[in-house]
Amino acid sequence: MKRGERNKILFSAQPSLQRIRNYILDILGLFGVVYSVLSFNENPFFFSCVLAFLIAAILLSGYNKVLVFKAEIVFKVQHPIDFFSKEWRFVFEEIESINADLRLSKRRFILSEIVSVIFPVSSFWNTVTIKKKDGSIAIINTKVDKEGLEKALSEVGQLTNGKVPIIFL
């Protein structure tokens, strides 16, 4: 396999609504930062706390995505600054099976976002459990919607010629 072929993305899924929400919140956060900087002399302690909170919120806001390559699948939380991004890579040859509990469709994502504003502890996720041949198990919770994950995992099934059983719960 050529070097460039391994890094070529064959399929990508990400929740567009989550990305749009993050962009809107980032813009509002930037306005808050500008206002806090301009008003800093009025109450330095208060605006220092507000600035710290807004900057942390902007830096830590991210969105989930799943990428399928020729020989691996990657689950990623993408942040505006790559240093804060996190990813989980799974090479197809090392995977024994994949179980997917997909409850979060696009419609339920909107409901989840509304409910999580009112009740922050309640949140819906899609869960993908990957059992590796060495016996280890990885559990990935993601906000990528059901439709995107179904397509990504179906792509994995095709790329592995069915050698990696994929079970949708």
Side-chain angles (χ1 to χ4, degrees):
M1 173 181 344
K2 294 179 183 175
R3 187 167 196 232
E5 287 180 13
R6 184 174 179 90
N7 295 331
K8 183 180 175 189
I9 297 173
L10 300 177
F11 182 81
S12 174
Q14 56 193 4
S16 57
L17 294 175
Q18 186 182 30
R19 221 172 151 186
I20 292 168
R21 183 206 65 196
N22 283 359
Y23 284 139
I24 292 169
L25 291 177
D26 287 347
I27 290 169
L28 291 174
L30 287 174
F31 281 127
V33 166
V34 170
Y35 178 79
S36 297
V37 167
L38 295 175
S39 305
F40 187 78
N41 290 333
E42 294 176 24
N43 188 343
F45 176 75
F46 173 75
F47 285 110
S48 294
C49 294
V50 169
L51 278 169
F53 174 77
L54 289 174
I55 290 171
I58 290 170
L59 292 177
L60 297 177
S61 68
Y63 60 93
N64 294 255
K65 63 182 180 178
V66 60
L67 307 166
V68 178
F69 297 91
K70 189 170 186 170
E72 63 188 359
I73 185 168
V74 177
F75 295 90
K76 188 170 187 174
V77 178
Q78 182 71 50
H79 290 279
I81 298 175
D82 253 358
F83 177 77
F84 295 109
S85 296
K86 190 171 184 177
E87 68 179 30
W88 297 266
R89 290 184 172 272
F90 301 97
V91 177
F92 298 152
E93 295 173 356
E94 298 174 356
I95 299 174
E96 184 176 316
S97 66
I98 299 175
N99 292 337
D101 185 6
L102 307 178
R103 299 175 185 207
L104 187 64
S105 62
K106 289 180 183 181
R107 191 173 295 159
R108 285 194 77 185
F109 175 79
I110 296 169
L111 176 65
S112 171
E113 291 302 306
I114 293 169
V115 170
S116 67
V117 169
I118 299 167
F119 304 106
V121 295
S122 68
S123 186
F124 302 105
W125 297 86
N126 282 325
T127 303
V128 178
T129 305
I130 298 177
K131 185 175 181 184
K132 295 171 81 177
K133 290 180 180 174
D134 66 3
S136 64
I137 296 175
I139 299 173
I140 308 294
N141 290 318
T142 182
K143 290 267 186 172
V144 174
D145 57 67
K146 177 181 181 177
E147 297 81 4
L149 280 172
E150 283 176 341
K151 289 177 185 174
L153 295 176
S154 295
E155 187 75 23
V156 170
Q158 289 176 358
L159 288 169
T160 61
N161 295 321
K163 293 179 184 173
V164 175
I166 300 169
I167 303 160
F168 293 100
L169 304 175

